[in-house]
Amino acid sequence: MALLDVRDLRVRFETHHGVVRAVDGVSFSLEEGETLGLVGESGSGKSVTNLALLGLIPNPPGVVESNGVMFEGHDLTKLSDRELRRIRGNQIAMIFQDPMTSLNPLLTVERQLTEVLELHKGMSRRDARKKAISALGDVGIPSPDQRVDQYPHELSGGMRQRVMIAMGLLCDPKVLLADEPTTALDVTIQAQILDLMRDLQHRHGTAIVLVTHDLGVVAGTTDRVNVMYAGRLVEQASTSSLFAAPQHPYTQGLIASVPRLDGDPNADLYSIDGSPPDLANLPVGCPFAPRCDQRQDRCTQESPVLENLSSDSARRASCFEVETVGGAS
Amino acid sequence: MSAPLLQVTDLEKHFAVGKKNFMGKATQTLKAVDGVSFELERGETLGLVGESGCGKSTCARTIVGLYPATAGSVKFEGEELMGLSRSEWMPYRRKIQMIFQDPYASLDPRQTVSSILAEPLAIHALDKPRDRRLKAMALLDAVGLNPRHVHRYPHEFSGGQRQRIGIARALALEPELIICDEPVSALDVSIQAQVINLLEDLQERFGLAYLFIAHDLAVVRHICKRVAVMYLGRIVEIADRDDLFRDPQHPYTQALMSAVPHPDPVLEQTRERIVLTGDVPSPMNPPTGCTFHPRCPAKDGVPGTRCQEEVPHLRNIDGGSGPRQASCHLDATAATQTSA
């Protein structure tokens, strides 16, 4: 049985401009110890998906619906706030993109780290401090016994991100939801943080959902990938098969439009025409159809669903042009 | 040979920071740009790369006179720009334009696109007022936007479209040089590719030169002919694009390239990577000698404590398709050893 099983998750925001369907029927599962990539552009619903799993979508304006978010036999969406709080930060932890805004500037690193331990593990202040120092050491922060008494503004961006990771891993969570953990960092620091996450995963067997828009990061760190567009999953595959043969035209375009260090620098970059649709005002049919270079008449009338590929039952795509088990084409 | 379009020599920009002493003077100096030199030819693209805080944006802003330089010279078509008065700058403002990183912050939300694009024309008293709208429409067309949207406000456009408006504004005065400060780093991948292609098309069409500042090496490799790598306010390596990416000389350039993740799982699992330890040091209190030495994986190759004590200077390196320089003691040691 999967560690985490998300079934038909839908999140909508009721705004003045109409109903924004930020996540529209997303289903996926996460196995123990694996890293699942969640890829897409800004506004595709990747972060909202993660927030919804932990019940962090404010209501109003947000409304979360699903056929269940199963974690160890519990449906997370059915739990009370109290019960959810026991899981949040403890068994499922989250790392946010911007460590400057997600750490509390008024508290020392120690207070931010020990809070979780006192709350979830009932540790004494002194034991919690010891554990916090060793956690900082684990994420490669030099002289952790001094750093623990500092405030976030005294740390560099890379250091702060390490503190966030240390905080996420304090309670040895089974699932780590990492939302663009390296996007705000420079490449040399990003390489350090990704190495660190890989290393910690090997040691603790944590399963990671890695939200990112960087296909290079996805290629190097994930086992499987979900590609999102306009709030929907358009393709699911193992990382190696996705990059070897992307099926959905959006995935194909996305991979082709990344400039590469080993590509031909004199060739024009492939680019996807147009821009992502307005989620409050989605086109009829496939949401990618207006930008798609393989568009058929049918694409602007009906919505394709995510189905297993005929050629590879471990992969799924939602496109009429791809041969699927449902016999769409 | 005529003078290069842009010639920057020993440019320095220091900021006074920190607590003030009893005389009211700041006690610390932040050397954001500390002796940068390069040349840029007409119609060429020079990339300026480095991590946050290395001084690449400060360098750009000093060149266009947004910050007064502490020392050094910037020549445009052979004419010195440093020390010019506001009015003396005016003719050069027409020839040197800038594109900024954040398409949300760099356009006035209260102006229509038409008035944003007409403003530079009005300031420089070009075209008759009634022709300016037509010019604005032509500019929108040139950057791939619908000319009929000229009456809209910035918030009615997406991020990628706003960046196109920023580019159109830079083009309005028909400049010879555009300084692009991270023009695509705030954009999504699919939009980024559109804007890169647009910048390349416009360069060909109008014979523009770009000083292209970015931290994404793959983007820089795509668009630039020459590339300068900066670390803590100095250029550590400068070379033709193909030479630099085929055979980086400075250990920092090597580490920077190695840190870029490739969108290819097979390659990612097999390739050797150099992972640097530690953070970029504070430019307020830079390390002695070579500022890269605390993080340098190659410093053991240099005998003694030379890296800790002696500042390396840019030296010419042979065997490139164009002039190429790097500042590292390692090559110098190897060179002296072979010559001995």
Side-chain angles (χ1 to χ4, degrees):
Chain A
M1 202 185 82
L3 183 60
L4 184 70
D5 192 10
V6 180
R7 298 172 194 159
D8 197 20
L9 180 73
R10 277 159 286 138
V11 182
R12 62 170 196 271
F13 293 95
E14 287 165 359
T15 70
H16 297 301
H17 305 290
V19 178
V20 173
R21 295 183 193 285
V23 178
D24 196 8
V26 163
S27 304
F28 63 89
S29 61
L30 180 70
E31 304 292 334
E32 236 162 276
E34 77 167 343
T35 303
L36 175 69
L38 200 52
V39 191
E41 297 179 272
S42 346
S44 61
K46 354 181 255 300
S47 298
V48 173
T49 301
N50 260 0
L51 291 171
L53 296 183
L54 284 182
L56 293 173
I57 301 287
N59 176 7
V63 180
V64 180
E65 292 167 335
S66 73
N67 290 340
V69 174
M70 306 306 291
F71 173 71
E72 301 206 306
H74 302 284
D75 184 345
L76 295 182
T77 57
K78 299 250 162 43
L79 297 183
S80 68
D81 272 359
R82 226 183 117 94
E83 291 168 313
L84 198 55
R85 235 177 287 140
R86 237 175 273 152
I87 291 177
R88 212 155 47 198
N90 191 14
Q91 295 179 59
I92 306 181
M94 192 149 181
I95 303 176
F96 295 93
Q97 169 174 2
D98 185 350
M100 193 66 231
T101 49
S102 34
L103 291 173
N104 187 332
L106 300 176
L107 298 180
T108 60
V109 169
E110 178 188 356
R111 276 313 292 150
Q112 319 208 26
L113 291 177
T114 53
E115 191 182 9
V116 223
L117 294 169
E118 287 172 34
L119 198 73
H120 289 304
K121 303 284 181 206
M123 281 190 185
S124 70
R125 187 84 184 258
R126 181 183 300 194
D127 288 348
R129 184 183 158 91
K130 263 190 216 145
K131 169 88 184 175
I133 292 174
S134 80
L136 289 180
D138 282 351
V139 296
I141 290 186
S143 46
D145 45 336
Q146 286 159 32
R147 292 291 182 181
V148 80
D149 293 318
Q150 291 188 314
Y151 288 90
H153 77 267
E154 298 176 84
L155 307 174
S156 67
M159 289 276 197
R160 279 182 220 134
Q161 198 57 300
R162 283 164 206 261
V163 171
M164 285 288 293
I165 293 176
M167 194 187 293
L169 294 171
L170 272 177
C171 295
D172 290 331
K174 298 205 167 98
V175 177
L176 184 66
L177 306 177
D179 190 353
E180 306 260 12
T182 58
T183 304
L185 304 174
D186 282 314
V187 276
T188 62
I189 308 297
Q190 166 173 287
Q192 292 174 9
I193 299 282
L194 291 177
D195 263 18
L196 173 74
M197 286 178 54
R198 239 170 299 193
D199 182 47
L200 292 170
Q201 180 172 42
H202 281 304
R203 270 194 278 157
H204 301 284
T206 317
I208 300 178
V209 178
L210 182 74
V211 172
T212 179
H213 66 275
D214 187 328
L215 289 172
V217 171
V218 170
T221 35
T222 62
D223 304 307
R224 288 189 306 132
V225 189
N226 283 342
V227 183
M228 281 189 85
Y229 187 79
R232 301 178 199 187
L233 287 185
V234 295
E235 186 157 2
Q236 279 183 328
S238 72
T239 308
S240 51
S241 58
L242 186 90
F243 280 91
Q247 295 294 313
H248 195 282
Y250 175 64
T251 319
Q252 292 168 357
L254 204 59
I255 292 177
S257 54
V258 184
R260 300 172 57 132
L261 279 183
D262 54 354
D264 174 6
N266 297 319
D268 256 6
L269 275 180
Y270 178 85
S271 69
I272 306 175
D273 281 342
S275 36
D278 176 4
L279 291 177
N281 194 7
L282 279 179
V284 180
C286 173
F288 185 62
R291 304 176 75 189
C292 185
D293 55 10
Q294 297 167 38
R295 179 182 57 234
Q296 311 274 313
D297 289 344
R298 192 179 170 188
C299 303
T300 52
Q301 293 149 14
E302 299 168 55
S303 249
V305 286
L306 194 66
E307 286 175 316
N308 292 345
L309 299 194
S310 326
S311 56
D312 181 351
S313 60
R315 301 184 61 166
R316 306 208 285 166
S318 71
C319 177
F320 294 125
E321 284 299 287
V322 178
E323 300 238 354
T324 55
V325 174
S329 41
Chain B
M1 210 177 100
S2 67
L5 185 69
L6 182 74
Q7 184 175 29
V8 177
T9 318
D10 296 328
L11 188 69
E12 288 181 16
K13 175 63 201 168
H14 298 176
F15 293 98
V17 289
K19 291 202 180 81
K20 298 202 164 105
N21 66 10
F22 68 98
M23 299 283 281
K25 287 213 167 169
T27 48
Q28 278 180 297
T29 317
L30 189 155
K31 298 182 175 177
V33 179
D34 198 18
V36 163
S37 307
F38 60 82
E39 286 177 5
L40 177 58
E41 299 292 342
R42 217 169 280 278
E44 198 187 82
T45 305
L46 173 74
L48 205 53
V49 298
E51 297 179 278
S52 12
C54 73
K56 47 193 198 303
S57 290
T58 309
C59 192
R61 282 158 190 251
T62 313
I63 290 170
V64 297
L66 292 177
Y67 295 139
T70 308
S73 134
V74 175
K75 286 186 176 156
F76 186 80
E77 297 179 318
E79 303 289 328
E80 180 65 51
L81 296 183
M82 292 299 108
L84 292 188
S85 69
R86 241 179 116 84
S87 57
E88 288 169 327
W89 251 107
M90 281 298 267
Y92 295 104
R93 295 252 181 262
R94 271 192 71 179
K95 296 181 178 174
I96 310 176
Q97 284 287 308
M98 204 157 167
I99 302 171
F100 297 92
Q101 170 173 7
D102 186 346
Y104 293 82
S106 52
L107 299 177
D108 183 347
R110 290 158 200 249
Q111 286 191 43
T112 61
V113 170
S114 162
S115 86
I116 288 173
L117 296 181
E119 192 176 24
L121 300 171
I123 290 173
H124 290 269
L126 301 172
D127 299 319
K128 294 196 189 75
R130 64 165 179 276
D131 293 337
R132 286 181 198 145
R133 172 152 300 159
L134 290 175
K135 179 87 185 263
M137 292 172 78
L139 286 166
L140 284 185
D141 190 49
V143 296
L145 292 175
N146 188 339
R148 280 178 310 172
H149 293 171
V150 76
H151 301 296
R152 294 193 176 183
Y153 287 90
H155 76 264
E156 296 174 79
F157 295 90
S158 69
Q161 290 172 327
R162 279 183 225 202
Q163 197 56 293
R164 286 174 193 262
I165 297 171
I167 294 170
R169 177 176 59 184
L171 289 175
L173 295 171
E174 296 165 20
E176 286 165 50
L177 167 65
I178 298 185
I179 296 182
C180 313
D181 190 0
E182 302 266 14
V184 296
S185 48
L187 306 175
D188 274 317
V189 200
S190 73
I191 309 298
Q192 173 179 296
Q194 294 175 3
V195 173
I196 292 173
N197 288 340
L198 172 68
L199 285 171
E200 287 182 327
D201 290 348
L202 293 173
Q203 175 165 50
E204 216 165 285
R205 230 169 108 188
F206 301 112
L208 298 165
Y210 292 137
L211 178 60
F212 193 90
I213 295 166
H215 66 273
D216 186 330
L217 286 173
V219 169
V220 165
R221 176 169 176 269
H222 199 87
I223 201 163
C224 300
K225 186 167 166 277
R226 277 177 71 71
V227 181
V229 183
M230 280 186 78
Y231 190 76
L232 278 182
R234 297 198 185 117
I235 290 179
V236 296
E237 182 160 3
I238 180 164
D240 276 3
R241 188 239 343 249
D242 293 336
D243 292 333
L244 188 86
F245 283 91
R246 196 183 51 239
D247 182 23
Q249 294 291 316
H250 196 283
Y252 177 63
T253 317
Q254 292 166 359
L256 200 59
M257 275 181 202
S258 155
V260 178
H262 292 255
D264 179 343
V266 183
L267 191 64
E268 275 300 285
Q269 264 144 39
T270 50
R271 76 189 178 100
E272 293 269 326
R273 274 174 303 162
I274 312 168
V275 176
L276 290 180
T277 51
D279 285 340
V280 180
S282 156
M284 269 187 347
N285 187 15
T288 56
C290 172
T291 49
F292 185 57
H293 85 255
R295 302 174 79 194
C296 184
K299 64 170 176 288
D300 294 341
V302 179
T305 52
R306 209 170 155 204
C307 296
Q308 285 85 342
E309 285 161 8
E310 192 185 326
V311 179
H313 293 286
L314 280 174
R315 288 175 313 98
N316 293 322
I317 292 168
D318 298 334
S321 58
R324 122 169 251 204
Q325 294 179 306
S327 70
C328 178
H329 290 310
L330 192 64
D331 298 315
T333 336
T336 25
Q337 276 168 355
T338 38
S339 65

